[in-house]
Amino acid sequence: MEDQVRTFFSRVKTVPHERLVELATARDEETHRIAYRQAEREFEASQRQVTALEEEVVKALTGESQLDLIVANSMLLKYREKLQTARYAMEEAKARLEKEKSSAQQTKDQIDEMVSWADCYAKAGIGTRHSKTLRDEIWRKEVEESFP
């Protein structure tokens, strides 16, 4: 057991802290960022369609367009519903992205804690490295950091 702990903590110490955080968080955050950008583009496209159709309705009202008002109004309702759906999808994607960013901070905090454990282990004497004593040292370190 002690060999596994030693191997694990020595590996943790060889990887730069920033890289550990990047490896733990990058993929999920990037996936959510891509989903948000795509939802945002779909919303903007729907918004442009609604705006163009509204302009065409105004032209039909003033006689500048041959578009039938009944058809235009039914299309406008349909496109506004599509716009609302796109707005909802974009808001949901943004909320998931923000949640992922919050989760990334929690992951960073956990990595910070793991690195501090590795530091405690590296500084501990051979006799101290036994599981129970190590656990006590880590707990002591956490208490010291919590109550300066």
Side-chain angles (χ1 to χ4, degrees):
M1 176 72 169
E2 187 176 331
D3 289 339
Q4 293 169 337
V5 171
R6 185 180 318 116
T7 302
F8 174 76
F9 282 141
S10 66
R11 284 185 194 158
V12 167
K13 295 295 286 178
T14 61
V15 179
H17 183 265
E18 296 78 23
R19 182 72 178 141
L20 288 172
V21 173
E22 180 185 328
L23 289 170
T25 60
R27 193 179 97 219
D28 290 336
E29 188 172 336
E30 186 59 24
T31 300
H32 289 293
R33 190 179 319 283
I34 290 168
Y36 174 68
R37 281 190 296 236
Q38 181 179 356
E40 190 176 41
R41 281 192 302 270
E42 289 174 10
F43 172 76
E44 290 168 355
S46 293
Q47 197 169 31
R48 284 190 301 273
Q49 289 173 337
V50 167
T51 301
L53 192 54
E54 286 172 343
E55 290 172 358
E56 197 62 34
V57 167
V58 170
K59 287 179 183 178
L61 287 172
T62 61
E64 297 174 32
S65 174
Q66 298 298 321
L67 186 63
D68 184 13
L69 282 176
I70 295 172
V71 173
N73 282 331
S74 66
M75 288 175 60
L76 192 55
L77 290 174
K78 180 180 175 183
Y79 281 108
R80 282 185 177 157
E81 185 178 308
K82 183 180 174 184
L83 177 64
Q84 187 62 28
T85 301
R87 177 180 287 123
Y88 178 73
M90 184 178 71
E91 289 170 357
E92 288 237 337
K94 185 174 184 175
R96 285 192 300 269
L97 177 60
E98 293 303 318
K99 183 178 178 185
E100 184 59 36
K101 286 180 181 180
S102 171
S103 176
Q105 181 59 43
Q106 291 173 347
T107 301
K108 181 187 177 306
D109 293 344
Q110 290 172 344
I111 289 171
D112 291 345
E113 184 177 20
M114 182 178 62
V115 168
S116 75
W117 290 352
D119 289 339
C120 283
Y121 187 80
K123 293 175 185 173
I126 293 173
T128 309
R129 291 184 178 172
H130 294 290
S131 295
K132 184 178 181 326
T133 309
L134 177 60
R135 189 173 50 242
D136 292 343
E137 287 292 317
I138 291 169
W139 182 81
R140 184 182 59 76
K141 173 85 171 142
E142 288 178 351
V143 169
E144 287 175 357
E145 289 176 357
S146 298
F147 304 100

